[in-house]
Amino acid sequence: NAGVMQNPRHLVRRRGQEARLRCSPMKGHSHVYWYRQLPEEGLKFMVYLQKENIIDESGMPKERFSAEFPKEGPSILRIQQVVRGDSAAYFCASSRLAGDYTGELFFGEGSRLTVL
Amino acid sequence: AQKITQTQPGMFVQEKEAVTLDCTYDTSDPSYGLFWYKQPSSGEMIFLIYQGSYDQQNATEGRYSLNFQKARKSANLVISASQLGDSAMYFCAMREGRGTGGFKTIFGAGTRLFVKA
């Protein structure tokens, strides 16, 4: 499967625990985006990364949330001390180099976080 | 700042008829891209169609066409010959140009389309 891979697909955490969501972009893609989707709402931009660099994190909450995209391995979205309001679907998307004409995003199937 | 507006929370259409889903945008960047994505009840995001800000003609992909009116900053999606499988959420999205900010893409709130048999 050469698509964007996200795992876990479903994650249940209790309040105060940590959640780690992983995303492997499509082969040849060096840009990764994270979006959050609350039930019956649209996708809210969180962060945009290239390898080893955060390009735009204007949508990330100031506390408890962090993201990385290391030189080797998947991108990680980390949520510390989760609260019930963090329950949502978290989508990862990737795109090719900046020279790509359209900048089309290719999405993973999402990781659904439930905080009890 | 970027902004995408979808004013129709829900739309109904009769099977085999055409439907237009509205989208307006706001950006100060002369170079941008507009996208439509479909999200069925299963949850995945499916790319439908793309329109570049410098494209002279409206984009078409099978039964999907994008009615691009640049001066009005609108990018409406037209689905012709609706099918039951078209029932889904539809999101309009915009990507600004190739500055140092790269390809940040933002999404509208979505329109839920119901196709009636």
Side-chain angles (χ1 to χ4, degrees), chain A residues 36 45-47 57-66 77-79 86 90:
Chain A
R36 177 164 62 177
F45 170 80
M46 299 182 74
V47 63
E57 57 180 346
S58 57
M60 288 279 273
K62 295 288 185 251
E63 298 177 347
R64 302 189 297 109
F65 285 72
S66 62
L77 179 67
R78 181 184 180 203
I79 311 171
D86 297 333
Y90 292 84

Side-chain angles (χ1 to χ4, degrees), chain A:
Chain A
N1 188 342
V4 178
M5 302 299 294
Q6 288 190 250
N7 67 82
R9 293 289 310 280
H10 301 275
L11 182 63
V12 179
R13 286 288 179 265
R14 297 190 179 279
R15 282 179 296 170
Q17 292 184 320
E18 178 179 288
R20 282 187 179 231
L21 310 177
R22 289 173 290 277
C23 171
S24 296
M26 283 184 68
K27 187 176 182 180
H29 286 194
S30 59
H31 296 210
V32 165
Y33 306 75
W34 286 94
Y35 291 86
R36 177 164 62 177
Q37 186 179 34
L38 296 172
E40 300 302 315
E41 293 190 10
L43 278 74
K44 298 296 185 186
F45 170 80
M46 299 182 74
V47 63
Y48 160 40
L49 310 103
Q50 293 180 16
K51 287 281 188 182
E52 300 184 279
N53 283 308
I54 296 175
I55 305 301
D56 186 332
E57 57 180 346
S58 57
M60 288 279 273
K62 295 288 185 251
E63 298 177 347
R64 302 189 297 109
F65 285 72
S66 62
E68 63 176 5
F69 188 17
K71 186 177 180 180
E72 301 291 337
S75 175
I76 306 286
L77 179 67
R78 181 184 180 203
I79 311 171
Q80 296 177 287
Q81 299 175 320
V82 296
V83 300
R84 289 214 173 107
D86 297 333
S87 295
Y90 292 84
F91 284 91
C92 172
S94 71
S95 68
R96 286 183 281 183
L97 294 173
D100 179 72
Y101 181 61
T102 72
E104 175 193 340
L105 297 180
F106 294 81
F107 280 87
E109 293 184 313
S111 292
R112 281 148 183 85
L113 172 66
T114 301
V115 180
L116 302 178

Side-chain angles (χ1 to χ4, degrees), chain B residues 47-60:
Chain B
F47 166 76
L48 296 178
I49 197 167
Y50 164 81
Q51 180 85 42
S53 59
Y54 295 118
D55 293 344
Q56 296 296 314
Q57 295 190 339
N58 288 344
T60 60

Side-chain angles (χ1 to χ4, degrees), chain B residues 8-115:
Chain B
Q8 305 155 313
M11 289 281 288
F12 288 86
V13 64
Q14 195 68 39
E15 191 179 13
K16 300 180 185 178
E17 292 185 350
V19 63
T20 298
L21 306 183
D22 295 341
C23 174
T24 59
Y25 61 92
D26 188 25
T27 180
S28 58
D29 195 326
S31 175
Y32 53 90
L34 298 158
F35 304 82
W36 279 90
Y37 287 84
K38 173 184 178 181
Q39 187 178 42
S41 57
S42 50
E44 72 269 30
M45 294 289 289
I46 302 168
F47 166 76
L48 296 178
I49 197 167
Y50 164 81
Q51 180 85 42
S53 59
Y54 295 118
D55 293 344
Q56 296 296 314
Q57 295 190 339
N58 288 344
T60 60
E61 289 285 348
R63 293 187 299 112
Y64 304 108
S65 60
L66 199 152
N67 184 0
F68 181 44
Q69 298 188 42
K70 193 170 183 177
R72 298 177 61 182
K73 294 189 174 180
S74 73
N76 298 341
L77 177 70
V78 180
I79 306 174
S80 62
S82 296
Q83 302 172 356
L84 295 178
D86 293 335
S87 294
M89 279 290 284
Y90 289 81
F91 293 101
C92 181
M94 178 173 67
R95 180 266 301 153
E96 282 188 329
R98 304 176 191 184
T100 55
F103 283 108
K104 177 179 175 180
T105 302
I106 62 167
F107 286 76
T111 295
R112 184 170 293 282
L113 178 65
F114 300 90
V115 180

